[in-house]
Amino acid sequence: MMFSINMQHISKRFGNLRANDGVNFSVQQGEIHALVGENGAGKSTLMNILYGIHQPDEGSILLNENLVKLETPARAISFGIGMVHQHFMLIPSLTVTENIILGNELTSMLGFINSSEAERTIEQLSDRYRLPVNPRARVESLSVGQQQRVELLKLLYRNAEILILDEPTPVLTPQEVEELFHTLNNFKSMGKTVILITHKLSEVMAISNSVTVMRRGKVVTRVDTVSTSQIELARLMVGHDVEFRTVKTSPPSSMPVLVVEGVSAQSDRHLPAVRNLSLSIAGGEILGIAAIEGNGQSELIQVITGLRKPTAGKVVIKGQEYLSSRHHPPVSHIPEDRGKQGLVLDFTISENLILGRHQEKNFSGLFRLFNEKVESNAKQLIQVYDIRPPTKHLRVRNLSGGNQQKVIIARELSKNAPVIVANHPTRGLDIWAIEFVHSSLLRERTNGKAILLVSSDLEELLKLSDRIAVMYEGEIVTIVEAKNTTERELGIYMTGAVKRGA
Amino acid sequence: MLALLLSFIIGGVFILLIGKDPFVVYAMFFSQTMGSWYGIGQVLFKATPLIFTGLSAAISFRAGLFNIGAEGQLIIGSFLVAMVGCTFSSLPSFLLIPCALLAGALGGALWGAIPGFLKAKFGAHEVINTIMMNFVAAGVISYLVTNVYSVPATVHTPQITASAELLRLDVFASAFHGSPVNVSLFIALAACGGVYYLLWRTRFGYELRAIGLNPIAAEYGGISIARRTVLTLALAGALAGLVGGNFVLGYKHYYELGFSEGIGFIGIAVALLARNHPIGIVLASIFFGILEYGSLTINTMVPKELSNILQAIVILFMITLTKFLSRWTTHLQECIVQDSNV
């Protein structure tokens, strides 16, 4: 058997942490290979070694049966290895062509960039691999899916034969995912090798030829996709059986707790972002919002949580209006970006556990901060929400993503507000942490809270929500019962292909 | 320590270059600063205003603001201290001194609040604005002192009344005899305690630190950044304004143009070296006090330019190396934490 990549006995330590421990990883030429595992399983470390970012402490790398040393990414690129990172490495204000040739510019003798030549090459590539994109468009004007195409073209432009994609799908709509998979199959048929790092087992089953499962720095198994199943893979990833279904109890009460009436709001760039939008959520109900990034869902959340002033309309919580008042509305907010919006990373766990609650009479007077109360609050919440390590004075920066999210959830839910707004609450978390977030939200649902859930993970929306509202360009296109819809149907609405009433 | 050693070695090379014996110069430097109570008194006198300006810079840094305006704030504040000190001569000491200090703090606070307001309201960057306010302060006070209030043929204001004078420490401990160190040292130490309490024991301090570390999360936590910005810069200004107590009430007993010689700017270095911690600021101020007074004492042997160079080299090394060391120690801490997580 001919392996295009063969990594043998790779070990890599960070301090005392064994990120990779005697890993064997091999991929055949011309196949799509999935690399799965929980966060911290060592997938990224392994791929960073292959891409020349890290050097292994032990082990060897063979490309097409030749022993190679990959000291830098530049070296890896010269061997035909390319990587699309989870967060795109594009410069928004430059054009597609400029982004693609960056670092690899064709120049004339005087050092001027020959961009028409580059444009021609890019057009040829995008024809051959069916990746339509306008080489002269500015990247900031492109959708996420198109930006991903630019990243792929960047690799092709550098003649990459081995393409590594790090979690490429969470940012895409179902339709875009389908297109991406189509493209990957194209690559395969042209003899290129694709490595797909992913969390989503359904994708593994749908597209890959073979799969490697990692757990705690080691390879658990390498199998052909046809000879395994989603359930088996999940078991191998986690180390024991996983319950995928979540049981929802108690139907929502009929009393609306959160009512949004005719709200309009502008984005930071003063463009209309939310247009005359109304919705209401009952106590004990989870309303999901499905939308492609940038369709007004962030602005809507900011209006509901009191962070953004609407240009029209009002927000009513339990019959009380919260626009004119200077007080912050009683909303538990689990924001989109943990590190930026939800936490002060260099504060301790205790300090973070009162952020936004520090003005409550429990924690501070007009002037003084009651440190004893702050500490006892932390002690209690750390225990109830099982935050690890349970060290009050540890900086939150040193916690894992899942535990950071627990700090936010502990703080926000202990507010005991009637409304909960959760924005991408499981983004970037591993299976354990996701389960924790989901069960926390469902428990609050049982407690009669009105919950607004925004997520790009449609599976999550379908699993947790009672109803799902699809937003497109600042409006709600449709509201459907979660049990009567599918990812596919939601996807169609999300792209604005079908307007309400049409 | 390593930083000190390195910078003294490099300084020694400079001294050799001008044909002097570095060991003799350094011996002088240390014996004059730390070898006598008089020298220690001088060092503490030099350190006192740096504690104030260091705190001023530190409290701004903690809120994520870069206050370069301490110089202007202390000029305004000190001038007001002197004016109150010589105007209300009928008041008894226990009223007059607090009034004079309060005037200084308020003047500095106003001078800090203006750029704070401009930042909060219009988003104008505080670095530019505080620098501009320095020019304005220097200009206004220079005009007032030379044209309106000066004693003829001098560049200083009239003497403050005797009841406004702060006692020198040699009154209590005769060993300090002759050195100008005075009661305002204790005011500075009290200010350190106050800032410590403010930062870690009050709601405002909590909010201020949250804003400094992550303004977005602070805003999500319902903290109004605009108001805190104005208040923080006003507080920073008030601290700088208190510098007047040391020079005006405790030493010269009048306001003299150009007395500051950049105390406001050195305060930024003090805060950096102390990593914005009040206790560190006391130590860093004493360190800078030694450097300042030490360079004065060796002026008889080497030119002033050289002692300036020496000072600058020491500061450079200290700040670079402490940064380096702190990064290294946090890295170690993180490794340990990771281990315990596994």
Side-chain angles (χ1 to χ4, degrees), chain A residues 328-393:
Chain A
H328 282 270
V331 175
S332 297
H333 184 193
I334 300 163
E336 184 174 4
D337 191 326
R338 277 193 290 286
K340 270 196 197 140
Q341 300 158 344
L343 296 167
V344 177
L345 290 175
D346 287 313
F347 265 7
T348 62
I349 296 179
S350 319
E351 285 172 322
N352 270 296
L353 280 171
I354 59 161
L355 187 68
R357 298 186 63 199
H358 61 280
Q359 288 160 338
E360 288 175 16
K361 286 197 175 61
N362 266 339
F363 296 124
S364 66
L366 207 55
F367 185 66
R368 225 164 75 79
L369 193 69
F370 305 138
N371 281 31
E372 324 76 52
K373 299 269 181 56
V374 174
E375 297 307 327
S376 62
N377 172 64
K379 201 174 159 197
Q380 190 203 342
L381 291 180
I382 285 172
Q383 203 178 16
V384 173
Y385 287 87
D386 190 28
I387 296 164
R388 289 185 210 180
T391 322
K392 289 181 298 192
H393 295 292

Side-chain angles (χ1 to χ4, degrees), chain B residues 28-36 39-40 43 289-291 293-294 297:
Chain B
M28 176 86 153
F29 183 94
F30 287 113
S31 69
Q32 291 293 321
T33 50
M34 289 178 273
S36 70
I40 293 172
V43 165
I290 292 173
L291 279 184
Y293 184 65
T297 61

Side-chain angles (χ1 to χ4, degrees), chain A residues 15-151:
Chain A
N16 265 0
L17 177 78
R18 283 176 171 274
N20 279 175
D21 190 359
V23 170
N24 291 313
F25 179 78
S26 53
V27 181
Q28 283 179 59
Q29 203 210 322
E31 72 168 346
I32 297 178
H33 185 86
L35 178 58
V36 300
E38 292 194 273
N39 280 348
K43 302 172 303 222
S44 301
T45 306
L46 187 67
M47 287 304 107
N48 283 336
I49 288 171
L50 182 57
Y51 193 53
I53 295 173
H54 293 320
Q55 299 308 308
D57 300 331
E58 287 163 40
S60 50
I61 303 170
L62 287 91
L63 293 179
N64 300 320
E65 320 265 284
N66 298 316
L67 193 64
V68 293
K69 271 215 167 323
L70 304 168
E71 293 103 344
T72 59
R75 191 106 179 100
I77 290 167
S78 75
F79 280 110
I81 298 173
M83 184 156 172
V84 177
H85 295 269
Q86 209 171 346
H87 303 283
F88 299 154
M89 308 279 177
L90 297 171
I91 302 170
S93 57
L94 296 184
T95 66
V96 170
T97 306
E98 286 166 333
N99 266 291
I100 290 176
I101 64 177
L102 193 70
N104 212 3
E105 300 91 346
L106 273 175
T107 50
S108 67
M109 262 166 36
L110 291 173
F112 292 106
I113 291 176
N114 189 345
S115 49
S116 56
E117 170 103 30
E119 264 173 35
R120 261 199 305 282
T121 317
I122 290 166
E123 272 166 3
Q124 282 167 10
L125 284 173
S126 85
D127 270 359
R128 176 143 41 111
Y129 292 96
R130 274 169 264 158
L131 288 165
V133 62
N134 173 8
R136 288 186 195 162
R138 284 188 194 283
V139 164
E140 60 197 352
S141 69
L142 302 181
S143 72
V144 181
Q146 288 171 319
Q147 291 187 16
Q148 195 168 56
R149 277 182 218 152
V150 177
E151 284 280 11

Side-chain angles (χ1 to χ4, degrees), chain A residues 417-491:
Chain A
V419 175
I420 297 169
V421 172
N423 195 356
H424 295 96
T426 58
R427 184 179 272 176
L429 300 184
D430 63 29
I431 289 189
W432 288 124
I434 290 174
E435 271 311 305
F436 176 85
V437 172
H438 286 179
S439 60
S440 297
L441 288 176
L442 289 172
R443 194 177 58 241
E444 294 302 319
R445 177 183 175 276
T446 316
N447 290 342
K449 303 291 167 66
I451 301 173
L452 182 74
L453 171 69
V454 175
S455 176
S456 55
D457 185 346
L458 296 182
E459 232 174 279
E460 174 171 270
L461 281 178
L462 288 168
K463 174 178 158 189
L464 296 178
S465 311
D466 296 290
R467 290 182 299 151
I468 297 176
V470 181
M471 273 183 84
Y472 180 72
E473 292 192 340
E475 294 173 311
I476 290 182
V477 188
T478 185
I479 296 187
V480 291
E481 294 284 323
K483 56 179 184 282
N484 299 335
T485 186
T486 60
E487 285 189 39
R488 210 180 150 78
E489 190 192 9
L490 290 174

Side-chain angles (χ1 to χ4, degrees), chain A residues 184-470:
Chain A
L184 296 185
N185 277 322
N186 260 339
F187 288 163
K188 185 171 82 172
S189 63
M190 298 199 181
K192 296 203 188 279
T193 308
V194 177
I195 300 173
L196 187 68
I197 306 176
T198 181
H199 266 39
K200 295 189 185 168
L201 300 177
S202 54
E203 292 173 358
V204 175
M205 302 309 293
I207 179 115
S208 69
N209 302 104
S210 55
V211 49
T212 296
V213 182
M214 287 186 76
R215 189 170 77 225
R216 294 190 182 179
K218 295 186 179 176
V219 167
V220 185
T221 188
R222 182 191 193 286
V223 288
D224 287 339
T225 311
V226 285
S227 60
T228 185
S229 70
Q230 208 163 323
I231 309 249
E232 190 192 349
L233 287 177
R235 191 172 50 73
L236 290 168
M237 250 167 85
V238 186
H240 66 86
D241 286 317
V242 181
E243 182 66 50
F244 270 112
R245 271 174 315 168
T246 316
V247 189
K248 273 187 266 186
T249 50
S250 75
S253 76
S254 52
M255 279 296 290
V257 172
L258 171 72
V259 178
V260 173
E261 260 181 59
V263 162
S264 295
Q266 292 186 332
S267 68
D268 285 336
R269 296 158 81 186
H270 300 290
L271 300 169
V274 181
R275 303 162 201 256
N276 191 23
L277 184 144
S278 300
L279 58 83
S280 90
I281 309 180
E285 181 186 34
I286 298 182
L287 177 74
I289 288 198
I292 302 168
E293 208 104 324
N295 274 285
Q297 65 271 50
S298 305
E299 285 81 2
L300 174 66
I301 283 179
Q302 287 168 342
V303 169
I304 294 173
T305 51
L307 289 163
R308 182 179 294 273
K309 260 202 178 135
T311 48
K314 58 183 178 179
V315 176
V316 182
I317 295 172
K318 284 200 150 176
Q320 196 180 343
E321 196 177 323
Y322 277 96
L323 282 195
S324 45
S325 75
R326 295 181 65 89
H327 293 289
H328 282 270
V331 175
S332 297
H333 184 193
I334 300 163
E336 184 174 4
D337 191 326
R338 277 193 290 286
K340 270 196 197 140
Q341 300 158 344
L343 296 167
V344 177
L345 290 175
D346 287 313
F347 265 7
T348 62
I349 296 179
S350 319
E351 285 172 322
N352 270 296
L353 280 171
I354 59 161
L355 187 68
R357 298 186 63 199
H358 61 280
Q359 288 160 338
E360 288 175 16
K361 286 197 175 61
N362 266 339
F363 296 124
S364 66
L366 207 55
F367 185 66
R368 225 164 75 79
L369 193 69
F370 305 138
N371 281 31
E372 324 76 52
K373 299 269 181 56
V374 174
E375 297 307 327
S376 62
N377 172 64
K379 201 174 159 197
Q380 190 203 342
L381 291 180
I382 285 172
Q383 203 178 16
V384 173
Y385 287 87
D386 190 28
I387 296 164
R388 289 185 210 180
T391 322
K392 289 181 298 192
H393 295 292
L394 194 65
R395 286 185 193 187
V396 163
R397 183 180 293 286
N398 295 322
L399 299 183
S400 67
N403 279 295
Q404 290 182 352
Q405 191 73 334
K406 279 186 188 172
V407 171
I408 294 179
I409 287 176
R411 177 183 74 211
E412 294 301 323
L413 297 188
S414 62
K415 268 187 192 171
N416 206 15
V419 175
I420 297 169
V421 172
N423 195 356
H424 295 96
T426 58
R427 184 179 272 176
L429 300 184
D430 63 29
I431 289 189
W432 288 124
I434 290 174
E435 271 311 305
F436 176 85
V437 172
H438 286 179
S439 60
S440 297
L441 288 176
L442 289 172
R443 194 177 58 241
E444 294 302 319
R445 177 183 175 276
T446 316
N447 290 342
K449 303 291 167 66
I451 301 173
L452 182 74
L453 171 69
V454 175
S455 176
S456 55
D457 185 346
L458 296 182
E459 232 174 279
E460 174 171 270
L461 281 178
L462 288 168
K463 174 178 158 189
L464 296 178
S465 311
D466 296 290
R467 290 182 299 151
I468 297 176
V470 181

Side-chain angles (χ1 to χ4, degrees), chain B residues 109-177:
Chain B
L110 175 73
W111 228 245
I114 293 172
F117 174 77
L118 293 176
K119 166 137 189 164
K121 188 83 184 166
F122 307 108
H125 203 285
E126 78 276 7
V127 167
I128 306 287
N129 290 329
T130 49
I131 293 176
M132 292 306 133
M133 292 300 282
N134 285 344
F135 289 127
V136 177
V140 168
I141 299 304
S142 166
Y143 174 83
L144 287 178
V145 171
T146 45
N147 296 310
V148 186
Y149 295 110
S150 82
V151 176
T154 67
V155 284
H156 59 74
T157 59
Q159 286 271 340
I160 57 169
T161 161
S163 59
E165 291 176 11
L166 279 176
L167 291 176
R168 287 193 182 191
L169 292 193
D170 56 13
V171 176
F172 313 111
S174 53
F176 282 124
H177 185 73

